[in-house]
Amino acid sequence: LKFLVCFSMYISKKVLKHHFDPRKAPRDAYLLCRLQWGETGTPWIHWVKNERYHAEVYFLEKIFKMRRSYNYVNCSITWYLSWSPCADCCCKILNFLRKNSNVNIDIYVARLYYIEDEKIRQGLQNLVSLAEVTIAVMETEGKVSHYIFCLENFIQGSADDDSWTVGFQSEITKNRLKLKDVFEVSRL
């Protein structure tokens, strides 16, 4: 049986560069996660690759339960996804958040998964309608470079290579506009 490959909290530079390049369309989906309980809790990082389960579902059903704090403090989760969630994952995330009102999730995506599919668009719209969810395209520039953050936090060893994102901006802009279109339609 194939299960999720997840042996350490770090991934290789090669995996990050290949699977989070918005110009490519690799089959596998990766989820890089930063989870923090309360405002003063120590952040915990982890990654998941889809195999048998979708990465988002595996995280919520397996990893979150293992890391769960039972003192009901707020939990902030930040996901960096190589692909945006599919319709089924959107539904599972939504149900998870309804059961866990103390959790908020910020989702940053490298590329959009079948964004023209109406079920996926509706799923994303339903997620962002909740105050506990933010969905955006990963950025290379601005106040926060999500790519540099991932390079510095999810790669073991030297993270001195910021040139690997050269050429990403045109795809990022396209994806940002497509996602904006999905969310603006939902607000009409």
Side-chain angles (χ1 to χ4, degrees), residues 112-137:
L112 303 172
Y113 181 77
Y114 293 108
I115 199 63
E116 303 306 322
D117 182 288
E118 192 52 43
K119 286 182 180 178
I120 291 173
R121 294 170 70 89
Q122 187 62 55
L124 294 170
Q125 291 167 2
N126 291 342
L127 278 178
V128 297
S129 71
L130 295 177
E132 301 86 7
V133 177
T134 301
I135 302 175
V137 174

Side-chain angles (χ1 to χ4, degrees), residues 51-173:
E51 288 276 342
R52 195 68 103 207
Y53 298 92
H54 285 212
E56 302 94 325
V57 173
Y58 186 84
F59 178 87
L60 296 175
E61 292 180 358
K62 307 289 186 202
I63 295 174
F64 182 82
K65 285 181 182 176
M66 289 188 313
R67 302 298 303 177
R68 186 177 186 139
S69 170
Y70 290 98
N71 58 4
Y72 300 103
V73 296
N74 289 337
C75 178
S76 296
I77 298 173
T78 304
W79 284 347
Y80 303 93
L81 293 167
S82 57
W83 288 99
S84 61
C86 70
D88 289 340
C89 287
C90 287
C91 185
K92 293 201 186 237
I93 295 166
L94 196 62
N95 290 334
F96 169 84
L97 289 169
R98 287 182 178 142
K99 293 176 187 171
N100 296 277
S101 60
N102 63 321
V103 176
N104 71 292
I105 302 178
D106 294 325
I107 302 171
Y108 299 99
V109 300
R111 67 185 70 76
L112 303 172
Y113 181 77
Y114 293 108
I115 199 63
E116 303 306 322
D117 182 288
E118 192 52 43
K119 286 182 180 178
I120 291 173
R121 294 170 70 89
Q122 187 62 55
L124 294 170
Q125 291 167 2
N126 291 342
L127 278 178
V128 297
S129 71
L130 295 177
E132 301 86 7
V133 177
T134 301
I135 302 175
V137 174
M138 289 177 68
E139 298 288 346
T140 59
E141 304 169 344
K143 256 191 333 191
V144 174
S145 169
H146 302 113
Y147 286 96
I148 297 303
F149 179 85
C150 289
L151 188 66
E152 291 173 349
N153 290 278
F154 293 99
I155 301 297
Q156 190 169 22
S158 173
D160 57 0
D161 182 9
D162 62 356
S163 64
W164 68 283
T165 60
V166 171
F168 283 18
Q169 197 55 51
S170 65
E171 242 0 85
I172 288 170
T173 300

